[in-house]
Amino acid sequence: MEISCLLNEIKASIRYENQIVHIEETPARDACYAPLELEVRIKAALSGTGIEALYSHQAEAIEKVREGKDLVLCTSTASGKSLTYMIPVFEAVLKDPEATSLYISPLNALVNDQLKAFLEFEGALNSGAGIARYTGALSADQKRKIRDGKTNIVFTNPEMVHMSFLAWHHLWRRFFSNLRFIVVDESHYYRGVIGSNMANVLRRLLRVAEYYGASPQFICCSATIGNPEDHTETLLGREAVVVENNGSLQGPQKFVFWNPPLYMNGRGCTVRRSSFSEASALFTRAVQAGLQTLAFTRSRQGVERMYRTCMELLRDRELPSAICPYRSGYFDREREEIERKMNSGELRGVISTNALELGIDIGGLDVCILDGYPGTVMSARQQAGRAGRSGNESLVLMVAGTNALDQYYMRNPADFFARSSENAVLNPKNPYILAGHLLCAAKEIPLRESDEKYFGGGYSRVVELLEAEGLLAGSDMKYSTDPFPYKQVSLRGIDNNTYSLLAFEGERSFPIEKDIEETLAFRECHPGAVYIHRGESFYINRIDHEKREIHAIKTHDSYYTKPMIDSSVVVQETYAAKPLLHAPEVEVGLGEVEVTDRIAGYRKIRTHSDETMSAHEIEMPPITLQTVALWLKLPDRLQEMIGDHKLDFAGGIHAVEHAIISMYPLHLLVDRSDVGGVSTPSHPDLGSKSGIFIYDGHRGGVGYAEKGYDLIEEVLELSLIHISEPTRRRGISYAV
């Protein structure tokens, strides 16, 4: 079915209530090619794979690489970024059969994709290059053969760089000595905690390579972000040039803004229908129309709930097996099987978290559905770019949720399309992160004072602290006293506290998921919770904190659960304070805080109606977080004024807190789950005045609070625009 026919059918259906508020039509774009001098064999190999000319951005990027510059290429999904490193890598091998290159991807699925592409190209080129994948799935013997053999090009992930290439660098002596290129694919992924960790991994990698006499170039490939040069230079610790003029072919696309309708609920309140139910209905309609469809939803359990709902809707039409869920937490073999089925066309639809946002090859998609605005313009464009990869017409449906930012864009669609992508933030100097990497670096090669050139300002201070704690020893050369410090560093989350989920059938148990982060485990896998995996419900009956195991049994309950969380914050140190520009009575602060979250209970919510069935109290250990926050210290006059109007002050500042968090991603490339908030009518650390805290959701902070402090006027201005609407309660507007 054609896209226009599908839209017409949707508009003609009885469920349509003018949900479409805007359609942005992007016309097809012709390819722009550019000449590039290529070695005869490479030109023939390209021709053999169907490539007769290079896009302009590919040619420009390769020229920059040939000039010896570190590079970041920022173009859209499916723009052929891989050729910009494939050609230089093979050129290096043709010139020097000993030359080596290291490709690093955040996902093993991308490792597999690129391995396949390189092997196909090598089949046409016949350069003699040894090409291999090096991941945790390999046996010890397979890994040894790659290290000891004549391997020129290795595809791997950050964890293997950290735990193998660096921890056992003496086994990679030949590879490091001849290292020409380090390819960092999907480099925009490296922001926040994973970005701060990856920046230190790359500094250690460069340090070891230079120890063996190599001087590798970096080639980074990124989605379009607001600060590609600054982000890349912070990630690499050195200068980089940016190539961002996209010359690739693009098919026409319709981008639909879909706002669920309002209705009167059972309590007589006007509410908006959930994005979940609307997105589920649109997904099943597109699948029924024979269009290959991908739906994105924000949470792992949201994926499971939508999959189960859509499976029930499609069962009557004998299509339930044509769709599948996809998210982190599944085992590698499960995810690879789903990717294979999607690529082959065996699956008509997949429901995913942002795990499929990156450039994994899953074939040509016709329709992409976003269950809620994904939080950033960059993510929305990345997800939308998954549709129409074959150059045909595609459809994107962004279904709005009820939060501030979703509704802001439904009212201001032109702002979405005019807005530049957000800035990506990372903080390699975070002392909690840097300390772990310095211990690893000291294990690799003893640390010297001159190593500050790799790790930057703050290096000496962290070294002193590690010495004081007895973790580093030595005088001019510092050694790690831990025989293997690598296990203490978790690249994707600062803490290593993860849980495994086990399903029990009588006396037997079997693993369902692994590496569930502590915070997620407490929120979604507490006793009494219903947890969904591959469409099946499991009742959590026990959590063993010593063994870090979650015990579950299958259930057929027709409800899901949501945690009730109590949060508190204590200011430990104030870094900076300033008056708010347009309201000097309000003091804006920035500093170190301790946040304590406690799961106080949970609600049972009926699956199909989203009505609360009951609430239950539970006892769970508290989770504490040492981090950085910004806060607004509010004047007494504000509380008195709102009290005079008989309005809810506590509810008003709580709504402002949520509005600020919702609007935060307009300025930074940050997921809404990366920042948290606490509001209180009276706080002892603010002189008993009322306050709103917005804190970085990662231990030690990764720069989100500092950026928010710098941009607080802009954040508040957009929050005010949203909550000053006539449909909002006046108390909230007064609070702002």
Side-chain angles (χ1 to χ4, degrees):
M1 179 183 290
E2 292 185 357
I3 298 300
S4 298
C5 293
L6 175 63
L7 281 177
N8 289 336
E9 278 194 8
I10 289 171
K11 290 179 181 179
S13 71
I14 58 173
R15 285 181 57 90
Y16 184 67
E17 300 177 53
N18 296 313
Q19 290 101 319
I20 295 176
V21 297
H22 180 77
I23 299 178
E24 187 80 8
E25 297 198 30
T26 304
R29 182 183 63 210
D30 293 332
C32 178
Y33 299 103
L36 182 71
E37 191 71 30
L38 291 171
E39 206 268 2
V40 174
R41 284 178 291 175
I42 287 181
K43 192 170 185 178
L46 287 170
S47 181
T49 57
I51 299 171
E52 300 297 339
L54 295 177
Y55 295 134
S56 56
H57 64 274
Q58 294 171 329
E60 181 185 356
I62 293 168
E63 288 282 19
K64 298 293 184 187
V65 173
R66 288 175 176 176
E67 292 169 10
K69 296 176 179 176
D70 293 323
L71 169 89
V72 57
L73 174 63
C74 294
T75 53
S76 61
T77 307
S79 58
K81 289 193 281 280
S82 60
L83 279 182
T84 63
Y85 50 81
M86 182 184 288
I87 290 174
V89 164
F90 277 109
E91 284 180 338
V93 173
L94 290 175
K95 289 179 183 176
D96 177 7
E98 294 296 317
T100 61
S101 296
L102 183 64
Y103 168 95
I104 309 170
S105 163
L107 298 179
N108 282 341
L110 278 170
V111 167
N112 297 336
D113 268 358
Q114 290 304 301
L115 174 68
K116 180 182 176 183
F118 267 66
L119 288 173
E120 288 177 355
F121 191 78
E122 168 59 16
L125 180 63
N126 196 26
S127 70
I131 304 172
R133 171 184 61 182
Y134 197 89
T135 65
L138 301 182
S139 67
D141 188 54
Q142 289 172 317
K143 291 176 182 176
R144 181 185 55 77
K145 287 180 179 178
I146 293 170
R147 290 194 305 266
D148 297 346
K150 185 187 173 299
T151 309
N152 299 91
I153 307 164
V154 176
F155 295 84
T156 192
N157 56 51
E159 283 76 13
M160 295 307 292
V161 174
H162 171 63
M163 296 291 287
S164 179
F165 284 85
L166 291 172
W168 303 97
H169 61 85
H170 59 283
L171 301 178
W172 293 92
R173 179 188 298 270
R174 183 198 64 83
F175 190 87
F176 273 119
S177 299
N178 296 284
L179 189 59
R180 300 291 187 273
F181 295 109
I182 300 171
V183 177
V184 183
D185 203 2
E186 305 288 353
S187 60
H188 64 279
Y189 179 88
Y190 300 112
R191 56 190 190 268
V193 171
I194 177 65
S196 303
N197 274 301
M198 188 61 176
N200 281 290
V201 168
L202 294 177
R203 284 155 173 75
R204 288 164 47 206
L205 186 62
L206 184 62
R207 180 172 177 259
V208 169
E210 291 183 350
Y211 174 78
Y212 285 109
S215 183
Q217 272 179 265
F218 285 96
I219 304 174
C220 301
C221 291
S222 169
T224 302
I225 57 176
N227 60 334
E229 184 176 11
D230 174 66
H231 171 259
T232 305
E233 292 182 351
T234 304
L235 181 66
L236 304 182
R238 48 202 264 179
E239 292 183 358
V241 296
V242 180
V243 174
E244 53 188 345
N245 293 320
N246 191 353
S248 64
L249 172 72
Q250 179 179 289
Q253 186 177 83
K254 288 183 171 64
F255 200 125
V256 176
F257 277 38
W258 182 283
N259 205 10
L262 298 169
Y263 72 99
M264 191 79 72
N265 68 8
R267 296 189 298 273
C269 300
T270 301
V271 295
R272 194 173 295 280
R273 191 179 294 159
S274 73
S275 64
F276 175 87
S277 60
E278 296 281 288
S280 300
L282 290 168
F283 178 83
T284 54
R285 181 177 282 274
V287 169
Q288 287 171 231
L291 298 171
Q292 197 164 30
T293 305
L294 174 61
F296 286 101
T297 192
R298 292 184 58 82
S299 71
R300 301 185 346 166
Q301 286 301 284
V303 165
E304 299 290 355
R305 287 177 53 223
M306 184 178 288
Y307 168 62
R308 194 158 67 179
T309 297
C310 293
M311 195 166 54
E312 291 172 1
L313 291 171
L314 291 168
R315 185 169 284 122
D316 293 339
R317 295 167 177 81
E318 299 182 353
L319 287 172
S321 62
I323 66 171
C324 195
Y326 185 101
R327 61 175 175 83
S328 61
Y330 292 169
F331 292 105
D332 288 346
R333 63 181 182 275
E334 294 177 300
R335 293 172 64 158
E336 288 174 12
E337 179 67 7
I338 297 167
E339 292 156 16
R340 184 192 65 76
K341 288 182 176 180
M342 192 68 175
N343 204 354
S344 68
E346 191 174 337
L347 288 174
R348 286 198 195 176
V350 169
I351 301 163
S352 176
T353 58
N354 61 1
L356 278 179
E357 185 177 301
L358 302 182
I360 302 165
D361 186 6
I362 51 173
L365 296 170
D366 303 302
V367 180
C368 180
I369 298 169
L370 282 57
D371 174 22
Y373 175 64
T376 65
V377 171
M378 189 279 292
S379 287
R381 289 172 179 161
Q382 275 286 99
Q383 292 178 9
R386 301 301 276 156
R389 287 170 68 92
S390 58
N392 298 324
E393 185 181 24
S394 61
L395 172 66
V396 179
L397 291 142
M398 187 163 76
V399 184
T402 57
N403 73 68
L405 201 46
D406 291 50
Q407 291 302 312
Y408 173 81
Y409 279 133
M410 288 298 121
R411 296 189 308 275
N412 303 280
D415 189 23
F416 172 84
F417 293 101
R419 186 172 288 275
S420 299
S421 293
E422 300 83 358
N423 290 347
V425 175
L426 65 156
N427 180 17
K429 298 177 185 178
N430 177 309
Y432 292 96
I433 293 176
L434 180 58
H437 287 281
L438 289 183
L439 291 176
C440 294
K443 186 65 181 175
E444 290 147 15
I445 305 164
L447 290 173
R448 299 173 182 269
E449 188 176 332
S450 59
D451 285 324
E452 186 168 2
K453 69 179 181 181
Y454 296 107
F455 299 104
Y459 164 79
S460 299
R461 176 59 179 156
V462 175
V463 167
E464 288 175 7
L465 292 172
L466 292 173
E467 283 187 289
E469 293 179 18
L471 297 172
L472 284 178
S475 53
D476 292 340
M477 296 192 297
K478 313 292 184 186
Y479 301 86
S480 171
T481 58
D482 185 338
F484 199 78
Y486 302 90
K487 289 185 177 180
Q488 307 306 316
V489 176
S490 173
L491 300 185
R492 300 185 192 251
I494 297 177
D495 295 312
N496 268 312
N497 298 329
T498 61
Y499 286 72
S500 296
L501 178 60
L502 304 176
F504 282 77
E505 291 181 356
E507 297 298 317
R508 293 176 56 248
S509 68
F510 53 92
I512 298 177
E513 293 186 26
K514 61 178 182 177
D515 298 332
I516 303 174
E517 295 176 9
E518 182 180 62
T519 302
L520 192 64
F522 279 33
R523 288 172 181 252
E524 295 186 352
C525 302
H526 54 77
V530 171
Y531 190 86
I532 309 173
H533 175 87
R534 300 295 297 268
E536 292 188 303
S537 293
F538 292 86
Y539 176 80
I540 308 298
N541 56 12
R542 183 168 179 260
I543 181 166
D544 188 326
H545 298 292
E546 288 187 6
K547 293 183 178 180
R548 300 203 168 275
E549 290 180 351
I550 300 160
H551 296 182
I553 56 173
K554 280 189 180 180
T555 181
H556 299 288
D557 292 326
S558 59
Y559 66 85
Y560 62 96
T561 53
K562 279 191 174 180
M564 298 185 292
I565 304 168
D566 289 337
S567 299
S568 61
V569 61
V570 175
V571 177
Q572 297 184 318
E573 182 180 352
T574 300
Y575 298 155
K578 63 182 180 182
L580 194 61
L581 185 62
H582 299 298
E585 291 178 278
V586 177
E587 181 180 285
V588 186
L590 176 72
E592 183 180 335
V593 299
E594 180 180 79
V595 180
T596 301
D597 283 345
R598 186 185 296 275
I599 310 298
Y602 62 94
R603 293 186 179 91
K604 291 182 179 180
I605 302 172
R606 205 177 304 279
T607 299
H608 295 293
S609 65
D610 288 335
E611 294 179 2
T612 298
M613 298 165 57
S614 58
H616 305 263
E617 294 183 358
I618 56 173
E619 287 287 335
M620 289 285 286
I623 301 173
T624 59
L625 175 70
Q626 300 283 337
T627 187
V628 180
L630 70 90
W631 58 82
L632 300 173
K633 181 179 176 182
L634 306 176
D636 294 334
R637 182 179 65 83
L638 180 63
Q639 189 165 356
E640 293 166 1
M641 181 177 66
I642 291 179
D644 291 342
H645 286 80
K646 303 293 190 293
L647 296 171
D648 180 7
F649 178 74
I653 61 173
H654 183 64
V656 173
E657 169 207 322
H658 280 274
I660 292 172
I661 292 172
S662 292
M663 291 298 174
Y664 220 82
L666 281 175
H667 303 279
L668 296 172
L669 190 49
V670 52
D671 191 275
R672 279 171 285 194
S673 62
D674 285 328
V675 291
V678 174
S679 54
T680 174
S682 176
H683 196 284
D685 297 329
L686 302 181
S688 297
K689 294 185 182 295
S690 56
I692 299 170
F693 292 83
I694 306 296
Y695 61 85
D696 193 314
H698 303 285
R699 188 157 68 94
V702 289
Y704 297 143
E706 291 89 339
K707 290 290 184 181
Y709 178 83
D710 293 339
L711 299 170
I712 188 63
E713 278 82 12
E714 292 93 326
V715 173
L716 287 175
E717 183 179 356
L718 277 171
S719 302
L720 179 60
I721 289 171
H722 171 71
I723 62 182
S724 294
E725 291 184 286
T727 56
R728 301 283 167 180
R729 292 179 60 189
R730 286 185 297 148
I732 304 173
S733 296
Y734 271 123
V736 177

